[in-house]
Amino acid sequence: MFERLPSHWMIALKKVGYWIWLIPVFGIPLSYYWSLGSAHADAWAWLVITVVFGVIPLLDFVVGRDPANPDEREEVPALEAQGYYRLLSLATVPLLLAMLIWSGWIFVSYPAWSWVGQLGWVLSVGTVMGAIGITVSHELIHKDPRLEQNTGGLLLAAVCYAGFKVEHVRGHHVHVSTPEDASSSRFGQSLYAFLPHAYKHNFLNAWKLEAERLGRRGLPALHWRNELIWWYAISALFLLGFTLAFGALGALFFLGQAVMAFTLLEIVNYVEHYGLHRRKLDNGRYERTNPHHSWNSNFLLTNLFLFHLQRHSDHHAYAKRRYQVLRHFDDSPQLPNGYAGMIVLALFPPLWRAVMDPKVRAYYAGEEHQLSESQLT
């Protein structure tokens, strides 16, 4: 639909289009208000998660792709200098936290929902906190300013996954697409085999990396300068606040949305690197990360929702680039749909392998030995 528009038109369109993140955030209260007095109140609680994983994958095909890249010499410096894009990402934080607290109050006080409606509400809120909250936190923790670092950490604390702040930057980006990375899924590995391993090792890896950082300064791991202690303490304060304000059900709501949010994150990790790997060089090191080591998805709609997260190939090759200037590479491996559709596909391993395994094999055509070695690791 937009594939033939000139690059500068697309940049202008996306400058406004990034505000599309407001739709799922406001979709939460909207689904509640539409359930008031409805004979199908439980169904309305599932509205957001249904739209995200049922409607958006179809709309991705209708809206189409965005092949436009900003000009490196003229447009990129101008875009990076605009504080608008930084403020846009920071603006998500107060609205997301307000939505989270309000949703907890609705969860415990709205009598029209059975457990089915309550489950749909938790999953819907967790979807917004994962899809928007963790995506924004991912953007922020890669940046140097302390405000962005701390704001990204706060969003992660709100879903009890603060270890991502440490492990993603210092672990995943170093070891991506190698056997050492718990967030890079192997060829032939199902989502359900990947998730437990990712939960465990990413948590442990974060503590290991932070202990190593402190050790280089001559400090013990359990020291007040260990940032994980502070971020997990904030998560504990969130939990305490929800418990004191809304009781045991409030605590259940907070933990439930957090599990949904960080599970969504790890499913995205599964999708982003499935079957891809960096070759080991003669000196025992792995080749430098480049745009070929991450799956790219250039569907315009989900890229607007996710602040260009799906231009993941460029992000891993140049992690400091801000979302508004991330590029599409035609020669990087391409996903057949946006992340929403690929997440649904990953939930069904036989379908996932039927679609993705031929793509991995085609990508390594002529180097099948690379693929077999990757499968054995």
Side-chain angles (χ1 to χ4, degrees):
M1 183 181 293
F2 298 95
E3 292 182 28
R4 296 184 180 179
L5 286 181
S7 176
H8 65 279
W9 285 22
M10 285 302 303
I11 291 171
L13 173 67
K14 289 190 288 188
K15 187 171 185 177
V16 177
Y18 287 124
W19 287 99
I20 201 172
W21 65 267
L22 289 169
I23 292 178
V25 175
F26 285 117
I28 294 295
L30 189 62
S31 64
Y32 161 71
Y33 286 115
W34 281 348
S35 76
L36 293 172
S38 171
H40 306 287
D42 282 344
W44 285 113
W46 292 82
L47 175 67
V48 170
I49 194 171
T50 301
V51 170
V52 169
F53 297 113
V55 177
I56 289 180
L58 299 177
L59 289 179
D60 263 333
F61 285 120
V62 174
V63 175
R65 293 176 171 86
D66 164 28
N69 289 329
D71 180 79
E72 286 295 308
R73 184 171 297 179
E74 296 182 4
E75 292 175 321
V76 167
L79 287 168
E80 289 188 327
Q82 292 183 37
Y84 165 85
Y85 292 99
R86 183 185 180 200
L87 290 174
L88 194 156
S89 58
L90 291 172
T92 64
V93 180
L95 276 178
L96 283 169
L97 294 181
M99 181 274 295
L100 179 63
I101 294 169
W102 177 84
S103 299
W105 172 67
I106 293 297
F107 179 80
V108 301
S109 62
Y110 187 47
W113 288 332
S114 69
W115 69 268
V116 175
Q118 290 179 319
L119 177 62
W121 187 250
V122 170
L123 295 181
S124 290
V125 173
T127 295
V128 175
M129 292 300 295
I132 307 300
I134 294 183
T135 295
V136 171
S137 73
H138 169 264
E139 169 71 18
L140 296 174
I141 63 176
H142 274 289
K143 305 304 176 283
D144 294 327
R146 186 172 295 276
L147 174 62
E148 290 174 286
Q149 284 279 321
N150 289 338
T151 307
L154 180 62
L155 284 174
L156 290 170
V159 294
C160 303
Y161 219 57
F164 181 77
K165 184 177 185 297
V166 171
E167 203 287 328
H168 178 80
V169 176
R170 291 187 246 155
H172 176 60
H173 269 262
V174 174
H175 301 295
V176 63
S177 296
T178 72
E180 284 77 17
D181 182 37
S183 292
S184 296
S185 50
R186 310 286 180 261
F187 180 76
Q189 184 181 32
S190 77
L191 174 65
Y192 303 103
F194 170 82
L195 283 176
H197 184 264
Y199 293 146
K200 175 183 176 182
H201 288 277
N202 286 334
F203 175 81
L204 295 176
N205 245 12
W207 285 96
K208 178 184 176 183
L209 288 165
E210 189 65 355
E212 289 174 352
R213 182 184 71 85
L214 293 169
R216 289 192 292 271
R217 298 185 177 187
L219 300 173
L222 295 178
H223 191 275
W224 67 269
R225 289 187 178 177
N226 185 325
E227 67 169 304
L228 290 175
I229 293 175
W230 290 100
W231 293 122
Y232 281 119
I234 292 174
S235 293
L237 288 175
F238 270 116
L239 178 59
L240 178 63
F242 272 83
T243 304
L244 293 176
F246 309 127
L249 273 180
L252 179 66
F253 165 82
F254 175 73
L255 293 175
Q257 65 82 28
V259 171
M260 178 61 186
F262 66 66
T263 296
L264 192 58
L265 161 67
E266 294 298 356
I267 298 175
V268 168
N269 277 333
Y270 175 85
V271 167
E272 287 171 340
H273 303 287
Y274 177 77
L276 301 177
H277 63 278
R278 289 151 59 193
R279 295 160 182 82
K280 183 171 280 191
L281 304 176
D282 292 339
N283 61 8
R285 295 177 177 269
Y286 291 99
E287 63 180 323
R288 182 177 179 178
T289 307
N290 63 52
H292 297 165
H293 298 132
S294 307
W295 288 97
N296 201 64
S297 178
N298 211 34
F299 288 87
L300 175 62
L301 184 63
T302 37
N303 259 329
L304 290 176
F305 273 116
L306 300 177
F307 294 85
H308 265 172
L309 178 67
Q310 296 178 147
R311 289 190 167 184
H312 209 62
S313 298
D314 197 18
H315 166 69
H316 263 283
Y318 306 96
K320 292 290 185 181
R321 286 179 77 98
R322 290 188 177 270
Y323 67 91
Q324 68 268 26
V325 296
L326 288 174
R327 297 160 295 182
H328 165 71
F329 294 101
D330 285 327
D331 58 350
S332 64
Q334 303 293 319
L335 293 171
N337 195 245
Y339 279 5
M342 299 310 297
I343 288 168
V344 175
L345 191 66
L347 296 175
F348 303 94
L351 294 179
W352 171 267
R353 296 201 63 183
V355 172
M356 292 302 296
D357 283 9
K359 289 184 174 294
V360 177
R361 290 192 184 97
Y363 194 73
Y364 287 106
E367 293 185 299
E368 286 79 7
H369 64 284
Q370 295 279 350
L371 181 58
S372 62
E373 289 173 7
S374 134
Q375 190 173 11
L376 292 172
T377 54

